[in-house]
Amino acid sequence: MEGLGLCVITLLISSAFQKAHPVRVTVRETSVQVLRGDSVLLPCSFVTMATLSRLNIIWTVTPLSEPSSPSQVIVYDRGQVIESPSLIGRVSFRSVPLSADIVLNSTRLSDAGTYRCVVNNPPEPGVPGIGELSLTILAPPSSPLCLWDGQADEGGSISLSCSVEEGVPVPELRWDKLEPDQISLPVNKEGSLKGTVRILNISAQNSGLYRCTVSNPLGTEACSVALSVYSTSHGAAGILQAVSLTLCMALVLLALLALVLWFHRSGHDRKWREEGEEEECYNEIRGNTLSQ
């Protein structure tokens, strides 16, 4: 009787434990980071009192780029593994059914987001166990693009812009004037990946080389812009010099033309004079001959 009573008590305790403790899920790390291109382990362990013949594990992700569009990553259902079509060959369970850990290979920036591990093991009572973790994909800054816009005439204004497509953590962006001395310039941020510098009432002193540098703990990239400020006063003087030179050349050409015409006319006058003298001499000789 005592043995039977002990067995009944054990069964009652076991039944109460099962009802009080459904599948319990534990995520060892709630935040995971990995360098883009590397593999990463997403941990998810569970405790269940039932056999694993009907075990069901579902992994989903809510991407950072689309927080309103969660999608399925991989599923384990009664011994069968189903991968998301977009992740075939890149995701797998590590040691299912003993663990719900998964491995994500060849990571991309688009893989970043909140991952959820849902474990259900009928006939285990209660709601499924759920665990969440965030995945961050780290990447160095991409090569920035430097542009300038505006009027490069003296007294005008210009804008220098620098933009970078990617970088995690978000790159720090700075503008510097390198010539003749390096000067750090105030930057107006436009979002997290673009910065501009506005220069008003520019002069020849603003001419020089400007460099934009983007950096985070994983790397540094840079681009540069060469700015030449056009001086209107120097331009007017240059135009005046060009006009003066043109007028001088025109006067020289006119003088040469007048000289040519003078020589030409002098040649004709000499020829006419010589012909007149020859005719007069001929007439005189002829007259002498007839008189004889």
Side-chain angles (χ1 to χ4, degrees):
M1 289 294 293
E2 292 181 358
L4 180 60
L6 180 62
C7 182
V8 170
I9 293 173
T10 302
L11 289 175
L12 290 174
I13 293 174
S14 176
S15 177
F17 180 82
Q18 288 188 12
K19 291 181 180 180
H21 298 279
V23 176
R24 290 175 294 172
V25 170
T26 303
V27 174
R28 298 185 296 277
E29 298 177 68
T30 57
S31 180
V32 179
Q33 295 183 341
V34 63
L35 185 64
R36 178 178 56 186
D38 289 350
S39 299
V40 62
L41 172 68
L42 303 183
C44 179
S45 57
F46 60 90
V47 175
T48 179
M49 303 301 295
T51 62
L52 302 177
S53 59
R54 299 174 62 186
L55 179 65
N56 176 267
I57 304 171
I58 301 176
W59 274 92
T60 60
V61 59
T62 301
L64 288 179
S65 56
E66 299 181 76
S68 60
S69 303
S71 59
Q72 184 174 290
V73 176
I74 192 170
V75 173
Y76 177 86
D77 187 29
R78 301 184 185 187
Q80 183 180 8
V81 176
I82 304 172
E83 305 170 35
S84 169
S86 62
L87 293 170
I88 290 178
R90 291 207 301 126
V91 64
S92 62
F93 282 100
R94 188 184 188 192
S95 55
V96 72
L98 301 179
S99 169
D101 296 352
I102 63 172
V103 177
L104 187 60
N105 301 307
S106 303
T107 52
R108 307 169 183 173
L109 290 180
S110 58
D111 292 331
T114 300
Y115 285 74
R116 172 175 288 192
C117 168
V118 180
V119 180
N120 186 30
N121 190 32
E124 194 80 69
V127 297
I130 299 175
E132 284 189 351
L133 61 85
S134 64
L135 175 63
T136 301
I137 310 298
L138 304 175
S142 58
S143 297
L145 175 64
C146 288
L147 298 171
W148 72 271
D149 182 50
Q151 297 294 327
D153 298 332
E154 193 171 31
S157 61
I158 62 168
S159 292
L160 304 176
S161 67
C162 177
S163 58
V164 59
E165 289 188 359
E166 60 186 38
V168 181
V170 175
E172 178 185 354
L173 188 152
R174 60 176 292 168
W175 271 103
D176 295 290
K177 185 176 186 294
L178 302 182
E179 299 173 351
D181 299 319
Q182 183 166 345
I183 303 173
S184 182
L185 304 174
V187 178
N188 298 318
K189 296 296 289 290
E190 298 180 11
S192 58
L193 298 178
K194 184 176 181 180
T196 61
V197 171
R198 183 79 169 167
I199 305 176
L200 306 176
N201 194 25
I202 60 175
S203 64
Q205 294 181 348
N206 297 118
S207 296
L209 186 65
Y210 293 78
R211 181 181 65 192
C212 171
T213 305
V214 291
S215 61
N216 68 10
L218 300 175
T220 299
E221 295 288 343
C223 59
S224 59
V225 170
L227 179 64
S228 297
V229 178
Y230 179 75
S231 176
T232 54
S233 59
H234 293 165
I239 293 173
L240 183 59
Q241 291 178 358
V243 171
S244 300
L245 181 61
T246 303
L247 290 175
C248 289
M249 292 180 64
L251 291 174
V252 170
L253 290 175
L254 288 174
L256 290 174
L257 180 60
L259 186 60
V260 170
L261 291 174
W262 183 81
F263 276 118
H264 183 70
R265 184 171 181 180
S266 297
H268 276 289
D269 290 345
R270 187 181 303 110
K271 182 177 179 181
W272 291 338
R273 190 180 304 111
E274 289 175 355
E275 289 179 352
E277 290 176 354
E278 289 179 359
E279 185 176 355
E280 182 179 352
C281 182
Y282 173 77
N283 290 335
E284 183 178 350
I285 294 173
R286 185 178 178 186
N288 292 335
T289 302
L290 291 175
S291 62
Q292 292 177 1

